[in-house]
Structure formats: structure tokens, C-alpha cells
Amino acid sequence: MPTENTHTYDVIVIGAGPVGENVADRTTAAGLSTVLVESELAGGECSYWACEPSKALLRPVLLRADAAHMPGLAAAVEKPLDVDAVLAHRDRMSADWKDDGQVEWIKSAGIDFVRGHGRLAGEREVSVSTPEGDTVRLAARHAVAVCTGSSAALPPLPGIEELRPWTSREATSARRPPQRLVIVGAGVVGVEMATAWQALGSRVTLLAREDTLLPKLEPFAGELVTERLREAGADVRFGVSVTGAERTAPGDVRVTLSDGEVLTADEILFATGRAPRSKDIGLDAVGLEPGDWLTTDDSLTVTAVPGNWLYAVGDVNQRALFTHQGKYQARVAGAVIAARARGERLDTGRWAPHSSTADAEAVPGVVFTDPEIASVGLTVREAEHTGRDVEVVDYDIGHLAGAAQYRPDYRGRARILIDRDRQVVVGATFVGPGVAELLYSATVAITGEVPVERLWHAVPAFPTISEVWLRLLETRRDS
């Protein structure tokens, strides 16, 4: 028979991914007793099915692409990648899908851990169904933080359950490359997995409903990635969607396209967006709709629930679906919870300690394709949509001496957006090999609201790709 126990803490955190771990770490550091509840693996989606495994698959691919264009190394990388070695590396970086190390860290930080499915059961109450069939009841003196993240959203195709398609989880944890892989979706997951599996031996067909890849980014980003994918052998198609798909046998999928063509593949990956993991977490117990995104203010407090005790942090609030941004929100939420517990007044002004301003002003992101894409802040489209008056400055990164040193046939482009009224950078996009490491400088420039004239005094070392900052300033001056 199930047993029932009740435990009281200052803070309850539902979801022990990177976001939940950071909330718990901050509240514990503030002297608040905290418990983490997790139904799967501590460490969450990022550690086992997203960031870590996907980048482990991609790093050998990108390193080989750079080496293949470098004199003295090209001949050394003519052979195909060692698939078994790459997959073994992926497994190690995913901790072989075991969370012992994460659980050990949680306990070492002074955080209690309960494994089981957590559901809201009322104001400041959570009920946990454990794998052993027990029910553990938790009560919070101050706060409950929902950090359950998001999951892959599948399209409403007839028979999709019988199809057993890949989502991002299967794509990052597959035990071998499929001979033929159809990828539906032109976002980050779609293009990264196309890059990885094409290089690992799959014949990839990438289907995009729109006329570009990565439509949320600057158009030149998608254009350069399309060019390289096609050079690598991928079949990239635009303006097409899937109207039907069926698995006729193990390893045999028939895919019908909107133009009437029928493709055959071993596997089909739907990379068609994300949905909140909120269907079965007890939202109805606090007056919310199960399955909805949880709307918060900049303090990460759920606005539809009175009393300032319920928080939604990370993907589940739909503010910015990146692990690093969720961890940023977690630091803010932890500070908010601690301040309220001490009876202190919140400081929620722009860029203040209790406000997640960066969610709207400076969300950084990297797409680990060949070429890499790094972006933060506004794009031209977003600036136009929001009525921001910006100056657009472009530069061909391949003209830099540092770029030629990095890869002799370097192809890339940089763009910054400058607010005409305030004379500060409000957006930056870099596309090219190795540009991921440029992103933090752009993020600092935007969040610090560094005047453009002051940037002239930030001297980039020669010969490095970071010299693009100087060339962008010179291009603006000379125009």
C-alpha cells in the first residue's frame, strides 16, 4: 500500500534540470531550505538529450570541416569520421544517461532531492508520486518554482503515433546513423541535426516550409548554412511541407510532401517547435489551464496566481527557450524569492537585480552548424517590427587576416545594429567558422549599453577574428 509523508520547506522546485538546479542553488545559498523534485534524470533535457549530446556530435564534424580546408591537414582528414568513436564521445558527454553525478552535486549543495512526478496540489503545496508508488506531500513556506521545461511539439498528422518519428531526443541519442534521414523543420534543431548526421554518413533530406533556413535570424545566416549543407551532400528543399507519413516496416518510412512527391527514409525527424511540459503538473489545482505556457512578469512570478508564491522559470514560461537564458532567469528568481522571504522590497527596474531584462533585450544564441552562427539582441526584422530606428552595419569576415589564418577559404559575415538615438549596439549577428566565441563581447556591449564611441577604445588583438569589431566601426565611419 502506498504510504504518505509530509515535509515542509521554504522553497519547492519542480524540475531538476539546469534551471531548477540553479533556482535551488540560489535559494539554498540565501539560507532557505529547498527541495528539488524530478521525474526523470537530474540534469534535465540539456544534459542528456539536447545541448550536451548534440554538441558532442557536432564538434568532431566542425573540427574536421576546418581541418579539411587547412593546408597541411587536408590529407589527414580525407577519411570519413570514425562514427563509433563520435558516438562513444557523445555517450560520455551525456554521462551515459545516468544522473549519479548530478544527484551527488545536488546533495553536496545542501539541497534535498525527491525523485518522482511532482504536481501542484494547492497554494504552496506539491504532491509527488514516487517510482515506488508512494505519495510524498510537500509544503512550501515561501515559494514553489515550476522549472519543468519544454518538450518536442509534433504536428497533427494522422497516424503520427504509429509512425514513431524521431524528435530531438531520438536524434541526439540514436545508436547508429540512419542510412536515409528526412528532417522536417528549418530551425536550430533541424539544421544542427542535418549537419551532424550528414557528416556521420546519413543521406539527409531537410524540408523547410518557408523559403529560408533559420527564419528567425538574419537572412544571410540561413543562406550560408544552406550553401554548406548542400556542398556536404544534403538535399535542402524550401516551400514544402509533409502532408502524410507512415512506417511501412521497421526502417522504412514513406513521406508524402505537399507537392505530391513521395520520399522513402529509414527515419523521419520532426524538428517543428517546442511545447511546455505543463500538462500533468497540477495547474488546474491553482486555477491555471494544464498544458499552457506559464506567463510571468520580469521577476519570474506567475501573474495569474495571486500571492506572489508561484514562479515559472526557464522554457516553461516561453520567454527565451535557451538553457543559458533559463539559468539566468533562475539566478534572478532565486534573488526574488530570497528577498521576499526576508521581507525586502524588490528592485525590478531595467537591468535591476530582481528583473530578467535580458530576456527582452539581449538573448544570446549559437547555432553549431558549418558555418557557426552567433547572435544576440535585435535582428533587422525585429527592429522594424518594434519600430526601433537602427543603423545597420555589415562586414565580410573573410576579409580579416585573422579569418584567413583560421581557415584560408573563410566565408562569413558580421552585422551590428546601432540605435540611432542612444548610439549603442542593440543587435549583433556573426556567421562563420569559430564565431561562437565572439558572442560574449557583443552581449556585454548590448547589456552594458556601451556608447559606440567608447568601443573605439576596445582594441582587438591582431590577427584574430575579433578584429571584426574594429572593421565594423570603420565601415560605419567611412560610410
Side-chain angles (χ1 to χ4, degrees):
M1 293 291 292
T3 62
E4 184 168 300
N5 304 300
T6 302
H7 305 275
T8 300
Y9 294 87
D10 291 323
V11 181
I12 302 168
V13 180
I14 305 175
V19 175
E21 287 178 336
N22 272 266
V23 172
D25 182 50
R26 292 298 82 216
T27 55
T28 300
L32 301 176
S33 61
T34 303
V35 60
L36 264 172
V37 180
E38 176 55 54
S39 61
E40 292 189 291
L41 296 177
E45 197 80 11
C46 177
S47 299
Y48 307 104
W49 301 287
C51 317
E52 294 286 5
S54 66
K55 277 55 193 180
L57 290 173
L58 285 159
R59 180 57 185 153
V61 173
L62 302 183
L63 187 60
R64 181 175 182 268
D66 287 338
H69 293 81
M70 180 60 65
L73 286 176
V77 293
E78 285 183 351
K79 294 181 180 179
L81 288 168
D82 183 335
V83 174
D84 290 339
V86 172
L87 294 181
H89 170 61
R90 184 270 318 270
D91 293 352
R92 286 191 298 273
M93 293 304 294
S94 304
D96 291 308
W97 292 275
K98 298 176 183 177
D99 66 357
D100 301 14
Q102 294 281 351
V103 173
E104 182 179 349
W105 174 85
I106 290 169
K107 294 179 179 178
S108 73
I111 304 164
D112 281 2
F113 180 70
V114 177
R115 195 181 297 278
H117 191 110
R119 298 176 179 87
L120 294 164
E123 183 173 336
R124 295 184 176 87
E125 295 180 356
V126 172
S127 175
V128 183
S129 302
T130 72
E132 295 76 25
D134 296 337
T135 297
V136 177
R137 297 202 177 277
L138 304 173
R141 297 184 186 92
H142 298 293
V144 176
V146 176
C147 307
T148 50
S150 65
S151 57
L154 292 173
L157 280 179
I160 197 163
E161 292 184 1
E162 292 77 15
L163 176 63
R164 304 187 306 281
W166 276 12
T167 66
S168 52
R169 283 196 170 195
E170 289 77 20
T172 56
S173 62
R175 307 315 303 172
R176 61 181 179 82
Q179 185 176 352
R180 304 158 299 172
L181 175 62
V182 170
I183 300 176
V184 185
V188 175
V189 172
V191 297
E192 286 192 346
M193 290 300 94
T195 300
W197 290 113
Q198 179 69 38
L200 290 170
S202 298
R203 295 202 305 272
V204 170
T205 301
L206 179 58
L207 307 176
R209 285 195 303 177
E210 301 189 42
D211 58 359
T212 184
L213 299 183
L214 302 164
K216 293 183 179 181
L217 300 178
E218 298 288 10
F220 60 84
E223 292 166 5
L224 286 166
V225 171
T226 300
E227 181 180 314
R228 284 296 297 123
L229 279 173
R230 285 175 169 165
E231 288 176 1
D235 180 3
V236 182
R237 306 188 188 190
F238 297 108
V240 64
S241 59
V242 174
T243 58
E246 61 176 337
R247 189 176 293 274
T248 56
D252 190 1
V253 177
R254 289 173 54 85
V255 184
T256 304
L257 307 183
S258 53
D259 59 10
E261 186 177 353
V262 176
L263 304 177
T264 57
D266 297 87
E267 298 291 348
I268 181 170
L269 162 62
F270 283 101
T272 49
R274 307 291 292 178
R277 295 188 64 184
S278 64
K279 284 185 178 180
D280 188 21
I281 60 170
L283 292 187
D284 51 336
V286 294
L288 301 178
E289 185 66 30
D292 279 358
W293 300 99
L294 297 180
T295 301
T296 73
D297 58 21
D298 285 351
S299 72
L300 290 314
T301 308
V302 176
T303 54
V305 175
N308 293 331
W309 63 270
L310 185 62
Y311 298 79
V313 193
D315 279 14
V316 75
N317 63 32
Q318 206 184 16
R319 291 172 67 90
L321 276 66
F322 292 98
T323 296
H324 48 267
Q325 206 68 21
K327 291 163 71 174
Y328 159 74
Q329 293 175 15
R331 295 190 291 272
V332 173
V336 169
I337 293 168
R340 282 179 170 155
R342 292 190 292 260
E344 298 172 358
R345 185 171 181 174
L346 297 186
D347 182 359
T348 56
R350 192 165 180 266
W351 302 116
H354 303 133
S355 178
S356 54
T357 308
D359 288 344
E361 300 287 343
V363 177
V366 177
V367 187
F368 290 87
T369 46
D370 180 18
E372 286 180 346
I373 304 165
S375 64
V376 60
L378 297 175
T379 62
V380 171
R381 185 190 308 105
E382 289 167 341
E384 292 173 345
H385 180 71
T386 56
R388 301 281 287 274
D389 184 13
V390 298
E391 182 180 354
V392 181
V393 186
D394 288 343
Y395 189 78
D396 186 335
I397 302 178
H399 292 163
L400 296 171
Q405 291 282 5
Y406 191 97
R407 187 159 153 172
D409 65 341
Y410 197 105
R411 285 177 286 179
R413 187 172 172 184
R415 169 174 288 176
I416 59 173
L417 277 60
I418 299 171
D419 186 298
R420 292 186 190 274
D421 295 330
R422 296 188 295 131
Q423 290 296 293
V424 295
V425 178
V426 292
T429 299
F430 307 99
V431 182
V435 298
E437 300 305 329
L438 291 175
L439 189 55
Y440 191 66
S441 59
T443 305
V444 170
I446 293 173
T447 59
E449 298 179 331
V450 181
V452 175
E453 288 305 314
R454 177 62 63 86
L455 288 176
W456 281 99
H457 297 280
V459 182
F462 179 89
T464 65
I465 298 174
S466 64
E467 198 178 17
V468 70
W469 280 103
L470 175 59
R471 300 305 175 213
L472 286 164
L473 294 175
E474 290 175 338
T475 299
R476 176 177 182 258
R477 177 198 62 193
D478 295 343
S479 64

